[in-house]
Amino acid sequence: MPQVKIVAKNFMDMVAALPAMKLDKLYDNAFICEAVLRSLPPLAKMYVMQMLYIDVPVTAKSLKERVLPDGFSKHKVAIDRLLQLRIFVESIDRKKETSYGLNPKFQGNLQKYLVYGGSLPREPMPSNITVRLPSREELDAYAVDQWESFLLQLITSAQAEKPMGLSSHLMKVIQRGLMHARENESPKLSEHGFQFLLMDTNAQLWYIIREYISSAQDRGLDPADLISFLLELSFHVMGEAYNMNTLTDVQSSAVKDLADLGLVKLQQGRKESWFIPTKLATNLSVSLSDTSTRKQGFVVIETNFRMYAYSSSKLHCEILRLFARVEYQLPNLLVGAITKESLYNAFENGITSDQIISFLQLNAHPRVAERVPAVPENVTDQIRLWESDRNRVEMILSHFYDDFPSKEVFEAACDYAREIGGFLWEDSKKMHLIVRGEAHQDMRDFLRRQK
């Protein structure tokens, strides 16, 4: 079975894919310039800061001369990233010597931001207007609850503790990338969907946001406008209230969708309404590789394949059922085992052994996370062995041919099957032939011509 991978790109991959004119438009916003600067590799940040007050291009040769021999690969990555994001503008002179200059808009706005600071497009609402705002703990609990409810609905809407009225925009994003539906059947998780559930929360968030922005054009929206707003949102203060009246129609629609995912909490006062960013929203400018935002683990795997999950989350239980056998559940403990049968079910759904092992390692309980390895080696080795054992036999759609009118026709059919790349097997004595399914129509046409 072919392996399908989900790649969760961050905003900067999406920013880099924008046309040059839209990139320059984004750089009109000083906060986006700062967000882009934050995202750069360390060496790229250093190049930007060194050239921030230099108004003439710097030769590629002079930049390369500053790098030690063992740092050339990092240098290349840094330069490539700066060119992709149009922070560096490349020029080649008559002597074919390459030089780099900073994007004038990026350079000017970043200079002003560093000297004078900047102000967000909107300020928090005064406390005398808003009702009692949720505490940090309440806001964190709300974000987790909304996100887990969303993931539960992915697994099965019947098991969601409180059905969510997702917008049509989000439903299309989910169904396009994570679910599939046959005629007259309710939507079910696709291979992508099963793989998505095993990703960590930060990667899941990036995947949904990427798909949400990618589908913006289908709704008649400019993806650059959404990227700009979401990057601005990451600079808002978690727990503060921001007036909905300061938002454009596009931003207001986006905020309502983000509330379904737990990135913001909506509240209504007597006259005004506002949104409150949660931890998920303020982490939008955090790199996927940043582990500081990841949750504490809860799974313990023993060498005998027994599994203990110290969690009261229904979501955790449903995710573990994807690849393990859950035997019983206490208020804060799940007990089960990883078995050959449970893993075969996971492999059948498109989940790979590496994804299962990565999930167990990322979610290892603190008591075992400090050990190396956090998951016993005999368990990880056996998971991979069971996957390779299952993949020893390849299923190929094929067609069987017999009852040929003569030996000549049979041999001609075998030769033709080889020519078109559809040949699988033959028995010359019994005049039996098997070809690939995609070659069936060509074989039928060939055999008709032989009559």
Side-chain angles (χ1 to χ4, degrees), residues 243-257:
N243 198 325
M244 291 285 287
N245 291 333
T246 62
L247 303 177
T248 65
D249 290 342
V250 171
Q251 293 171 346
S252 180
S253 176
V255 160
K256 291 172 184 175
D257 289 335

Side-chain angles (χ1 to χ4, degrees), residues 302-305 375-383:
E302 296 185 336
T303 55
N304 61 358
F305 295 83
V375 181
E377 286 185 350
N378 71 304
V379 175
T380 56
D381 290 345
Q382 188 62 62
I383 291 173

Side-chain angles (χ1 to χ4, degrees), residues 43-221:
L43 196 57
K45 289 179 185 175
M46 185 184 76
Y47 291 156
V48 171
M49 298 309 294
Q50 287 177 340
M51 295 173 60
L52 192 58
Y53 288 93
I54 298 176
D55 296 326
V56 294
V58 175
T59 64
K61 183 179 179 182
S62 65
L63 281 178
K64 195 172 182 180
E65 286 173 348
R66 307 176 193 179
V67 182
L68 295 173
D70 60 352
F72 282 147
S73 61
K74 292 181 180 179
H75 169 78
K76 186 177 184 306
V77 169
I79 296 297
D80 287 346
R81 195 58 166 167
L82 290 167
L83 290 172
Q84 288 169 1
L85 291 165
R86 268 184 61 79
I87 297 173
F88 269 10
V89 179
E90 187 179 55
S91 60
I92 301 175
D93 61 18
R94 293 179 180 178
K95 297 179 181 179
K96 295 186 177 180
E97 186 173 85
T98 301
S99 298
Y100 303 120
L102 280 181
N103 182 312
K105 278 196 173 183
F106 183 90
Q107 184 179 24
N109 280 319
L110 198 57
Q111 286 176 351
K112 292 176 184 176
Y113 182 75
L114 291 177
V115 174
Y116 302 109
S119 59
L120 283 167
R122 60 196 63 84
E123 293 294 328
M125 296 177 69
S127 57
N128 62 336
I129 295 178
T130 59
V131 296
R132 189 187 74 85
L133 298 180
S135 65
R136 185 186 182 97
E137 292 75 20
E138 290 171 338
L139 203 58
D140 286 346
Y142 163 82
V144 170
D145 183 56
Q146 286 292 102
W147 187 255
E148 290 196 354
S149 295
F150 161 67
L151 295 180
L152 269 173
Q153 186 160 310
L154 274 183
I155 299 174
T156 168
S157 59
Q159 290 182 343
E161 293 178 357
K162 55 175 186 179
M164 293 172 60
L166 295 179
S167 70
S168 58
H169 310 148
L170 282 177
M171 286 305 300
K172 287 180 181 177
V173 167
I174 295 166
Q175 290 176 356
R176 182 180 65 176
L178 304 175
M179 306 186 81
H180 64 82
R182 296 179 180 176
E183 192 174 351
N184 299 323
E185 290 185 7
S186 59
K188 295 182 179 179
L189 277 177
S190 63
E191 287 188 8
H192 288 162
F194 282 108
Q195 294 170 12
F196 172 83
L197 288 171
L198 296 190
M199 295 161 64
D200 67 85
T201 301
N202 212 8
Q204 289 172 338
L205 175 62
W206 279 117
Y207 177 83
I208 293 296
I209 293 298
R210 185 199 72 181
E211 292 297 315
Y212 182 71
I213 293 173
S214 298
S215 65
Q217 287 182 327
D218 299 338
R219 311 195 302 271
L221 303 178

Side-chain angles (χ1 to χ4, degrees), residues 418-436:
R418 290 188 178 92
E419 286 177 14
I420 63 175
F423 180 86
L424 287 175
W425 175 85
E426 68 168 307
D427 184 334
S428 56
K429 291 182 180 180
K430 297 181 180 179
M431 291 197 295
H432 290 169
L433 172 65
I434 297 178
V435 301
R436 293 180 178 273

